Amino acid sequence: MIVDGVEISRHYITYVEGELRLYPARKRRLAWLETCIATATPHREDGMPGAPGPGNPTQSRALALMHDQERTYLLGWCRLVEETYHSLSIEQQSIIRLMYWERRLTPDGVAEELGMHRSTMFRQRNRALLTFAIAMIGDHVATNLRLAATS
């Protein structure tokens, strides 16, 4: 795919589109994890009043660690997506929101909703996807972009 004279491999774009489609679900998961961590009750060891029976402190700690690691990963990922999204133009933000997060319109419907020609909408979408690809994938895409731009 060529965007503004810069070539980027289609598989990078496909990856970015998949990641953008996952954003709403990951945002919900992050909120759930933060609620779980915030409302977690301390583990009761055997012999403590109110303990229901034999406890498994290793399992409790392992689950807490896994939840914390997942929350940390999702927090960084959501921040990256949000910062990149806010760096886009208003038109590009609307296209990303309608096509990948709300997902209720076809590409023609998105173009009509935004009052732009279909080809203009696709050009703006491709520019936004290029921005996300550079932010999400980083140096590997940037290297390919510099090589394509210089040839």
Side-chain angles (χ1 to χ4, degrees), residues 92-147:
Q92 291 171 346
Q93 288 180 8
S94 299
I95 292 167
I96 295 298
R97 181 177 41 79
L98 292 170
M99 287 189 78
Y100 299 104
W101 297 343
E102 292 180 10
R103 299 174 62 184
R104 60 183 170 80
L105 299 171
T106 64
D108 289 330
V110 171
E112 186 177 323
E113 174 98 3
L114 298 175
M116 61 177 63
H117 192 272
R118 185 177 193 270
S119 61
T120 302
M121 189 274 302
F122 277 112
R123 275 193 301 276
Q124 291 295 326
R125 181 206 63 176
N126 291 344
R127 288 182 183 128
L129 292 176
L130 177 63
T131 303
F132 275 106
I134 292 169
M136 288 180 179
I137 302 168
D139 294 336
H140 185 68
V141 172
T143 300
N144 289 342
L145 294 176
R146 281 193 290 276
L147 290 174

Side-chain angles (χ1 to χ4, degrees), residues 12 20 40 56 71 77 85 91:
Y12 291 133
L20 288 173
N56 190 342
R71 185 190 68 80
W77 187 89
Y85 175 78
E91 292 169 335

